Amino acid sequence: MNAVSAQLQLAARPASRRLGALRHDNYRFFVSGQAISTIGTWMQSLAQSWLVLRLTHNPLAVGLVVAIQFVPMLVASRPGARAVERTSKRKVLLLTQGSFMVPAIALFLVAQAGLAQVWMVALAALIVGVVNVFDIPARQSFLVEMVGREDLVNAISLNSSVFNAAAVIGPLAAGFLIADFGVAACFLANAVSYLIAMLALWLMRNLPALTIKRRYREASDDDLHGGWLLLRDSHVTLLLVCVAAFSLFATNRLVLLPLFSDNVLRTGAFGFGLLVAMLGLGSLIGTIHLSISGAQATGQRQVLLAMIWVFALEFFTLSRSVWISSALLVVAGYCQICFLAISNSRIQTATPDHMRERVLSIYTQVLAGMSPIGSLVTALLV
């Protein structure tokens, strides 16, 4: 199940059950560790883009490094999911969190010593992308083992809220650290955050025994063929095109925002962190609003959100005030998360039950697959 669609389902649940996942000790350990780890990840993402910009003063290099990190998920997401399905999720996550520490520590050492080069940052980004191939499906499938199916929607929703909250805290913290201590401090903070996540995983107890499902076929050719056949439905196809456009033009924050903060607003690293944080704040507000409002996923509302999003970004390009720019990015972030949630909900509504997982697999590929292309296109256009 996708996190944004879970937000819409959560609104229909009784208020007494909206924090049901927190009843489980293992989930409380997990979400606490992931909250710290995700903040650290955001800090490294910002420091990575800022370091490449400082080394090259070339937006194409920034876009290339951002794109490299997403490529492994595009080409190997299903093989990674198959491998994760057949082993202990906690063991996988302990391994991936430890693996994430390697590029973080390496970047800290070379940045601190003043030896960092672009190829080193690109290699670190590639390693993170490869580890994500196993880490992301492990985290998603681990939820049901911790909370059961009864509280699964709530657990997904809380995870989404944690991610969006980290998208506010992490960039702000990164901005402060880069301005006062340099980019190396962000890489060190991220490495430490993975230690906390590993400790949280180690503290878990009484997890269910691993079971292997013989009927696992998520990545089979028949499933994919069936999913693509459904795209003859013009309604589903149009919605997926909208998602592709969103991914192409709206997921390039780590390419554009360092350039705006450095060359247009001239606010330096702190301004870069502030701008990314305000975009995350808008997404967090949108997530909370979806959780409590029960708003209908209609095409009219989606068009309105898209129009507001476009106008917010247009005015952002004209602004020369960091505070006005920040306010406009809050609006853009809110529109982005709500637009995606409505797209996901409408796609699921228009898809027959027996085809839903297949189409959502295509949806995920479209959303993730256009992101590296968007980063490169953006960098070439700047």
Side-chain angles (χ1 to χ4, degrees):
M1 185 181 299
N2 189 277
V4 288
S5 64
Q7 297 294 335
L8 297 177
Q9 294 185 36
L10 181 64
R13 305 191 77 185
S16 61
R17 295 303 314 281
R18 290 184 182 176
L19 296 178
L22 295 179
R23 297 183 296 119
H24 305 271
D25 291 339
N26 286 333
Y27 181 75
R28 289 199 298 271
F29 284 129
F30 175 80
V31 77
S32 298
Q34 290 302 303
I36 301 299
S37 176
T38 306
I39 290 172
T41 300
W42 272 108
M43 294 174 70
Q44 175 157 321
S45 296
L46 263 75
Q48 191 172 273
S49 292
W50 191 256
L51 178 58
V52 173
L53 182 62
R54 284 306 187 195
L55 289 173
T56 66
H57 302 284
N58 184 351
L60 180 59
V62 179
L64 181 62
V65 170
V66 172
I68 285 173
Q69 188 164 316
F70 288 96
V71 169
M73 277 300 296
L74 174 62
V75 301
S77 59
R78 284 192 297 277
R82 284 203 302 272
V84 166
E85 179 73 11
R86 290 162 170 79
T87 188
S88 164
K89 308 303 184 298
R90 185 171 73 156
K91 289 181 180 179
V92 172
L93 289 172
L94 282 168
L95 180 60
T96 58
Q97 300 303 292
S99 300
F100 281 135
M101 289 181 63
V102 175
I105 292 173
L107 287 175
F108 163 70
L109 292 175
V110 297
Q112 186 68 22
L115 301 175
Q117 299 182 36
V118 176
W119 71 265
M120 299 177 183
V121 184
L123 178 60
L126 179 62
I127 294 172
V128 170
V130 171
V131 177
N132 269 328
V133 169
F134 305 97
D135 182 77
I136 291 176
R139 277 189 285 115
Q140 291 175 342
S141 56
F142 192 36
L143 292 179
V144 70
E145 295 183 14
M146 290 184 287
V147 304
R149 296 191 179 278
E150 188 178 14
D151 293 314
L152 180 59
V153 171
N154 178 244
I156 294 172
S157 175
L158 287 172
N159 274 16
S160 179
S161 298
V162 164
F163 177 85
N164 287 309
V168 179
I169 299 170
L172 284 176
F176 279 117
L177 283 181
I178 294 172
D180 292 341
F181 303 102
V183 293
C186 293
F187 300 131
L188 179 60
N190 187 36
V192 173
S193 76
Y194 290 123
L195 283 176
I196 297 173
M198 292 173 71
L199 175 62
L201 289 165
W202 181 79
L203 289 172
M204 292 180 182
R205 295 291 183 270
N206 301 318
L207 288 167
L210 176 68
T211 57
I212 303 298
K213 297 180 180 178
R214 295 182 181 275
R215 60 185 179 85
Y216 181 76
R217 300 191 315 118
E218 182 181 349
S220 72
D221 292 338
D222 289 343
D223 283 348
L224 290 177
H225 180 64
W228 286 113
L229 283 179
L230 186 64
L231 298 192
R232 291 181 300 184
D233 181 336
S234 59
H235 181 63
V236 174
T237 301
L238 181 59
L239 287 170
L240 286 171
V241 169
C242 291
V243 171
F246 170 89
S247 182
L248 184 63
F249 297 110
T251 57
N252 49 21
R253 67 182 80 178
L254 294 179
V255 178
L256 281 180
L257 292 185
L259 300 175
F260 266 92
S261 62
D262 195 38
N263 300 330
V264 179
L265 300 175
R266 301 191 181 280
T267 56
F270 171 73
F272 176 33
L274 178 64
L275 294 178
V276 177
M278 291 304 100
L279 201 57
L281 178 61
S283 296
L284 178 60
I285 294 171
T287 299
I288 295 172
H289 179 249
L290 289 172
S291 297
I292 64 178
S293 68
Q296 294 298 311
T298 63
Q300 292 87 341
R301 189 162 183 261
Q302 191 172 12
V303 170
L304 177 61
L305 287 166
M307 292 177 63
I308 296 173
W309 172 55
V310 169
F311 281 118
L313 292 182
E314 284 292 335
F315 284 115
F316 172 80
T317 62
L318 300 174
S319 171
R320 296 299 179 266
S321 164
V322 65
W323 301 112
I324 294 175
S325 298
S326 297
L328 290 168
L329 286 180
V330 171
V331 176
Y334 172 87
C335 291
Q336 287 179 17
I337 197 68
C338 292
F339 180 90
L340 266 187
I342 292 175
S343 295
N344 184 283
S345 179
R346 294 180 67 198
I347 287 172
Q348 292 201 50
T349 301
T351 303
D353 290 342
H354 68 285
M355 301 283 285
R356 186 165 290 117
E357 290 185 0
R358 308 173 195 181
V359 173
L360 285 180
S361 175
I362 297 171
Y363 167 89
T364 302
Q365 277 198 306
V366 168
L367 184 60
M370 296 303 293
S371 184
I373 299 173
S375 296
L376 289 177
V377 170
T378 300
L380 288 170
L381 292 175
V382 173

